[in-house]
Amino acid sequence: MATLSTRPRLAELPPEQRRAIWGRRIRRGTVYALATLIALWILAPIWLVATMAFSTPGDVRSYPKQFAPVPFSTETMEFFIEAEGIVDSTLNSIAVAIITMVLATVIATPAGYAISRYLFVGRDAVRLGILSVRAFPIVILAVPLAIIFIDLGMYDSIYSLALLHTALVLPTSVLVIASVFATVSYELEEAAKVFGCTPAEAFFRVVLPLALPGIAASGIFAFVTSWNEVFAAVLLTLTNRTLPAQILFSLDKSGDPFKFAGAFFMLVPSMIFIFFIRRYLFNMWGQVSK
Amino acid sequence: MARIVVENAVKRFGDFMAVNDVSLTVDDQEFVVLLGPSGCGKTTLLRAIAGLGIVDSGRILIGSRDVTYLPPRDRAISMVFQSYAIFPHMKVFDNIAFGLKMQKAPKSLIKERVQRAAELLHIENLLERYPGQMSGGQRQRVAVARAIAVEAQVLLMDEPLSNLDALLRLEMRAELKSLLATLNATTIYVTHDQIEAMSMGDRIAVMNSGRILQYDHPTRVYDQPLEQFVGGFIGNPPMNFLQARVVENGAAAQIGDFRLSVPPEMVVPLRSYDGAEVLLGIRAENMEALSQPASDALQVSVKVVEPLGSQNLLTIPVGTELIKVATHPDFESAPGQDLWIRFPARKIRWMDRKTGRAISPSVEAMQAALAS
């Protein structure tokens, strides 16, 4: 608000007013400074990784590191993509992530709807149960599951990994989707029923279309979570590695260009997806969106 | 024919009695207003009639069909919601057409009905717009158009004007009234606004604490409230209630030093209160303020004068209570000034102080008075 035109008048103001204005400027400045600092903390590594991924392998190995990809080169990325197992594991990762996304959405949509709309016996217990799955470390889930999958002959399969990933993302998916349904006014559903809909028709014609963007966001979240998950992937697969498992497997055998290119390759889907779903994540955390 | 009958409806929410043994009959094509303060059960009753909430006991009949447990879509009703509940993902045309589409009406009929409903509400130019781009008043019109497009015999309205600003509400009130008069639908209209109820309804059902206290034509509800609550809820300012002691074996009432004679039809009913206090209810505009002493007028002193343009509203202490007296705007008065107030006997509602119910006049005395 302090534009040039108001500045001369500031001096004419009584001291009490001047102090108040300065106090507000300092507070606002502090908030912006802190926000900038936090943003840099997150963005600097990403920038470094991206810079390295598009520099020549020679530049990547040299010190000190450069701050911009000059000269620009796709050689490092090409080297990474052509490395052994990367294409196969990428395809595996995509398959696992898509199965996880579909399963999680199909299960979480009715669950989220029930939690947001109906007062049923044991609703709070169900909510707590859903959250408590989150409380178990993935180690506790993955090791017994590996044994069970071996017994069932499902070990080293991308489908069993997708099942575990679905279990991992479900709590969050259910809560996100429940919060999305909560934003769709119940009166809309009642209006649909008054004007001739069965409860199912009211859901599919009115509630679902309105909740669809949020449900899609939750699906994307499931995709990204599965894409990034490494621990269970390493534990449950041997030959059918997903991308993070493959990268982890070859990490100690490869040089800096491979690592930076791999890091960038892993990063991109998450960055894109987070950009699209950020509004719904804010919603879930009870902040005012927009 | 769509007569609506509610028989002994009861609806509880936990320990709270939202609707407490309510019976109500709305005649075919009648416009009935459910009026009451928030939490009085009016919306719960409307939702039970709509099928959006099922009564715990009692019956609901539409036409001659028992619909108590039927879902809304099988009740052949239409409704306007308080928040309008317009579907934000559909264009105005599809919103208005929604009910007809669900009935699988032929395309040509849908088009014709939507067009007509839109014309009645003056929103023909909005049909291709989405609700998100519209003002509250326009959304309200879409909600009404959607409700009338299905041409149901029963139209339910849940505080349809309460989200509009005051000026728009005034405009829509008259428009809605003239529109509904052309529709031949049996209408139940819920509101907490007593002016809306007075101005629109054929009959008003005044509700409080889950019960219907009085169900009658607006002027009767206004002039002859059956209960103190009704007199106090309807009218602006509300009806005044003064404490008076019945004396002379029912023939007179004493307010302080002032003695008021009781009209003949009230003498017998008031006889049983002889020596006890009753409430004397009278509306602000029914009292006569005089600037000169008169033997049949109570002497008072003015506390506040509020010029309202069409009238002056005086606040006057009587005993421990404050009463409001409306005078002609030319009547001169100032705070602290002495005045004399005359109470026209026929305009007084006598009420039992304990039950808050009106004391009914004796029928024989009224007939005798009419005959003479």
Side-chain angles (χ1 to χ4, degrees):
Chain A
M1 243 77 73
T3 58
L4 276 174
S5 62
T6 65
R7 230 167 239 168
R9 285 201 293 144
L10 190 62
E12 299 158 17
L13 288 170
E16 193 190 27
Q17 298 279 329
R18 273 208 304 267
R19 269 200 304 278
I21 288 173
W22 274 111
R24 200 174 57 191
R25 282 181 186 172
I26 288 168
R27 275 195 300 278
R28 193 173 295 173
T30 314
V31 168
Y32 274 103
L34 283 174
T36 311
L37 212 65
I38 293 169
L40 278 179
W41 176 263
I42 306 276
L43 289 176
I46 295 175
W47 177 251
L48 181 69
V49 164
T51 302
M52 290 297 111
F54 289 101
S55 298
T56 60
D59 282 342
V60 174
R61 285 193 198 90
S62 68
Y63 283 94
K65 302 287 185 205
Q66 59 208 103
F67 284 102
V70 181
F72 184 87
S73 154
T74 55
E75 206 183 322
T76 305
M77 284 307 286
E78 281 165 24
F79 166 72
F80 168 77
I81 288 165
E82 283 158 12
E84 193 201 335
I86 291 299
V87 171
D88 284 347
S89 61
T90 303
L91 291 177
N92 279 342
S93 262
I94 290 172
V96 170
I98 286 176
I99 296 170
T100 303
M101 178 173 77
V102 170
L103 278 180
T105 307
V106 167
I107 297 170
T109 299
Y113 182 77
I115 284 179
S116 77
R117 278 288 193 270
Y118 294 111
L119 278 169
F120 53 86
V121 181
R123 182 169 91 145
D124 292 335
V126 168
R127 268 190 171 155
L128 202 67
I130 288 171
L131 267 180
S132 66
V133 178
R134 256 348 223 160
F136 290 110
I138 187 167
V139 190
I140 301 209
L141 277 175
V143 175
L145 268 176
I147 295 166
I148 292 172
F149 285 153
I150 289 171
D151 285 349
L152 293 175
M154 289 167 69
Y155 187 72
D156 193 20
S157 144
I158 58 168
Y159 301 107
S160 18
L161 182 59
L163 281 181
L164 178 61
H165 282 178
T166 305
L168 276 182
V169 300
L170 261 184
T172 318
S173 295
V174 170
L175 294 182
V176 169
I177 289 179
S179 81
V180 169
F181 280 128
T183 62
V184 179
S185 154
Y186 190 53
E187 267 199 348
L188 290 175
E189 220 172 319
E190 293 189 325
K193 287 182 195 167
V194 163
F195 290 106
C197 289
T198 62
E201 283 171 331
F203 178 80
F204 284 110
R205 280 171 177 268
V206 173
V207 183
L208 196 60
L210 292 171
L212 213 53
I215 292 173
S218 138
I220 289 170
F221 172 82
F223 186 97
V224 171
T225 307
S226 165
W227 174 267
N228 286 337
E229 200 285 323
V230 62
F231 187 88
V234 169
L235 217 65
L236 291 184
T237 57
L238 275 176
T239 53
N240 293 313
R241 291 251 190 251
T242 59
L243 186 61
Q246 181 66 34
I247 291 175
L248 192 72
F249 177 68
S250 32
L251 212 52
D252 49 348
K253 289 173 263 177
S254 37
D256 283 353
F258 181 87
K259 290 175 187 167
F260 279 115
F264 182 77
F265 197 75
M266 289 296 302
L267 210 59
V268 169
S270 311
M271 301 276 285
I272 294 170
F273 291 145
I274 296 286
F275 179 79
F276 282 115
I277 67 170
R278 64 197 194 287
R279 203 155 69 85
Y280 296 95
L281 291 177
F282 287 147
N283 254 346
M284 185 180 72
W285 295 326
Q287 283 185 3
V288 181
S289 57
K290 286 177 193 171
Chain B
M1 289 291 285
R3 207 164 81 115
I4 301 170
V5 179
V6 178
E7 286 175 2
N8 306 102
V10 173
K11 179 79 183 176
R12 282 184 209 88
F13 295 112
D15 291 336
F16 178 69
M17 269 283 201
V19 174
N20 189 354
D21 195 22
V22 165
S23 295
L24 177 80
T25 301
V26 181
D27 291 329
D28 184 41
Q29 302 192 13
E30 195 181 12
F31 188 132
V32 164
V33 178
L34 300 182
L35 173 69
S38 58
C40 72
K42 56 191 191 299
T43 295
T44 309
L45 182 59
L46 188 81
R47 290 172 57 84
I49 296 168
L52 295 171
I54 304 290
V55 288
D56 296 330
S57 67
R59 289 209 308 164
I60 292 164
L61 295 99
I62 295 178
S64 50
R65 206 158 58 109
D66 187 338
V67 299
T68 314
Y69 300 108
L70 295 184
R73 66 178 187 280
D74 294 336
R75 296 191 180 205
I77 53 156
S78 183
M79 187 160 171
V80 179
F81 290 81
Q82 182 173 12
S83 68
Y84 315 144
I86 300 183
F87 308 125
H89 59 301
M90 295 180 194
K91 285 180 179 169
V92 170
F93 182 94
D94 297 307
N95 263 289
I96 300 176
F98 189 85
L100 294 163
K101 279 185 184 163
M102 292 310 298
Q103 292 170 9
K104 307 224 159 45
K107 274 227 167 72
S108 57
L109 179 77
I110 293 179
K111 213 165 169 218
E112 180 197 317
R113 291 263 197 96
V114 171
Q115 196 61 37
R116 222 179 75 206
E119 274 165 24
L120 281 171
L121 273 304
H122 311 294
I123 48 171
E124 310 95 294
N125 53 335
L126 300 178
L127 287 176
E128 292 305 310
R129 299 258 291 269
Y130 280 97
Q133 315 157 333
M134 290 165 22
S135 70
Q138 289 172 326
R139 285 180 211 195
Q140 214 276 339
R141 285 169 184 274
V142 175
V144 175
R146 180 178 65 180
I148 66 173
V150 291
E151 295 187 3
Q153 291 195 318
V154 173
L155 181 56
L156 306 175
M157 306 184 115
D158 185 7
E159 310 225 12
L161 303 183
S162 65
N163 286 352
L164 300 180
D165 60 59
L167 205 62
L168 207 54
R169 198 178 316 161
L170 198 69
E171 187 190 309
M172 266 316 268
R173 201 167 72 203
E175 198 177 323
L176 211 52
K177 183 173 182 175
S178 79
L179 171 69
L180 294 175
T182 65
L183 286 184
N184 305 329
T186 310
T187 307
I188 301 183
Y189 185 107
V190 163
T191 183
H192 64 266
D193 181 341
Q194 44 106 7
I195 297 173
E196 237 168 81
M198 288 287 297
S199 63
M200 297 179 82
D202 294 328
R203 280 196 283 176
I204 301 177
V206 184
M207 293 187 70
N208 192 32
S209 311
R211 290 177 175 278
I212 292 181
L213 304 181
Q214 187 168 7
Y215 181 37
D216 214 328
H217 300 282
T219 48
R220 294 272 301 248
V221 173
Y222 185 82
D223 288 330
Q224 296 163 37
L226 282 181
E227 302 216 8
Q228 188 186 358
F229 177 86
V230 176
F233 190 74
I234 294 183
N236 184 20
M239 189 175 244
N240 297 298
F241 292 99
L242 288 167
Q243 300 214 2
R245 183 176 297 277
V246 179
V247 291
E248 293 174 18
N249 205 16
Q254 186 92 22
I255 305 169
D257 298 334
F258 175 68
R259 188 160 287 206
L260 179 75
S261 54
V262 168
E265 70 270 17
M266 290 307 300
V267 175
V268 176
L270 284 178
R271 198 161 282 162
S272 58
Y273 292 89
D274 197 33
E277 303 250 304
V278 293
L279 287 175
L280 183 160
I282 187 156
R283 294 217 173 263
E285 67 272 24
N286 289 336
M287 283 173 278
E288 209 180 325
L290 311 165
S291 45
Q292 300 298 324
S295 61
D296 57 346
L298 168 68
Q299 185 180 0
V300 293
S301 165
V302 179
K303 194 176 178 209
V304 184
V305 178
E306 295 168 84
L308 300 178
S310 59
Q311 61 181 37
N312 284 354
L313 196 60
L314 313 182
T315 303
I316 294 168
V318 175
T320 56
E321 282 142 301
L322 292 175
I323 63 167
K324 303 273 188 190
V325 178
T327 67
H328 193 274
D330 294 340
F331 182 84
E332 289 189 12
S333 52
Q337 186 190 339
D338 280 346
L339 283 183
W340 288 263
I341 299 176
R342 193 178 271 157
F343 299 89
R346 306 274 172 202
K347 296 288 187 185
I348 295 173
R349 282 300 272 181
W350 302 88
M351 305 235 173
D352 186 304
R353 215 174 66 124
K354 284 200 196 76
T355 62
R357 295 228 170 85
I359 302 163
S360 11
S362 82
V363 181
E364 303 83 43
M366 275 176 85
Q367 283 166 344
L370 282 172
S372 62

